[in-house]
């Protein structure tokens, strides 16, 4: 679960590291994200390694295991529906933007990505706990 947090930190590093490390980080995240500059967060004019939606997913993945600990088994029956339900806001934000009904924004992409990422993080934490019966989630 620590890996999920590390990924979010690594995606956040480009504004605070030198050019060689920045290039390596951008290259490393390239297979995961389109990295379109207009759709990516910037800090002090430097683009992060992922777009707004992917950044939300990474943040959600890091928060999801914490939420799983807080929930501790509640809603276990509905865990499989969680990921499907989390895709609805993401799909609406994207799909309604494509057809011109909704103009998605950096904030909407970040939030819908975080919702999906958190659901995925909860499911990953539960799957990991399943292999360790002493840690009920």
């Amino acid at each position: 679960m620590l890996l999920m947090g590390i990924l979010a930190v690594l995606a956040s590093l480009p504004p605070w590291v030198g050019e060689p490390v920045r290039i390596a980080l951008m290259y490393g995240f390239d297979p995961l994200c389109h990295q379109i500059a207009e759709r990516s967060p910037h800090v002090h004019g430097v683009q992060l390694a992922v777009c707004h939606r992917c950044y939300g997913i990474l943040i959600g993945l890091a928060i999801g295991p914490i939420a799983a600990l807080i929930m501790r088994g509640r809603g276990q029956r509905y865990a499989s529906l969680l990921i499907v339900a989390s895709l609805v806001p993401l799909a609406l934000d994207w799909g309604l933007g494509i057809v011109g009904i909704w103009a998605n924004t950096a904030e909407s992409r970040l939030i819908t990505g975080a919702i999906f990422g958190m659901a995925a993080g909860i499911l990953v934490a539960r799957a990991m706990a399943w292999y360790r019966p002493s840690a009920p989630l």
Side-chain angles (χ1 to χ4, degrees):
M1 289 188 260
L2 180 62
L3 177 61
M4 297 174 205
I6 290 170
L7 285 174
V9 169
L10 288 173
S12 304
L13 282 179
W16 292 280
V17 296
E19 190 70 21
V21 176
R22 183 179 308 136
I23 290 169
L25 288 168
M26 297 300 284
Y27 182 76
F29 280 96
D30 182 59
L32 305 175
C33 180
H34 57 69
Q35 299 176 330
I36 297 172
E38 306 83 55
R39 292 184 165 261
S40 299
H42 288 72
V43 175
H44 304 297
V46 178
Q47 180 180 336
L48 299 189
V50 293
C51 70
H52 290 104
R53 193 173 322 272
C54 290
Y55 195 61
I57 291 170
L58 290 174
I59 297 297
L61 279 170
I63 294 171
I66 297 166
L69 284 172
I70 293 168
M71 291 169 43
R72 288 196 186 245
R74 290 189 294 267
Q76 189 76 17
R77 186 176 352 163
Y78 304 106
S80 59
L81 293 176
L82 183 63
I83 199 78
V84 175
S86 71
L87 286 169
V88 172
L90 196 145
L92 287 173
D93 187 49
W94 176 80
L96 294 176
I98 293 292
V99 296
I101 295 173
W102 167 265
N104 64 29
T105 64
E107 292 82 12
S108 69
R109 291 188 296 270
L110 183 73
I111 290 167
T112 57
I115 291 168
F116 173 74
M118 188 190 260
I122 289 169
L123 292 180
V124 167
R126 287 185 173 183
M128 292 174 73
W130 184 73
Y131 289 109
R132 291 185 49 214
S134 63
L137 293 179

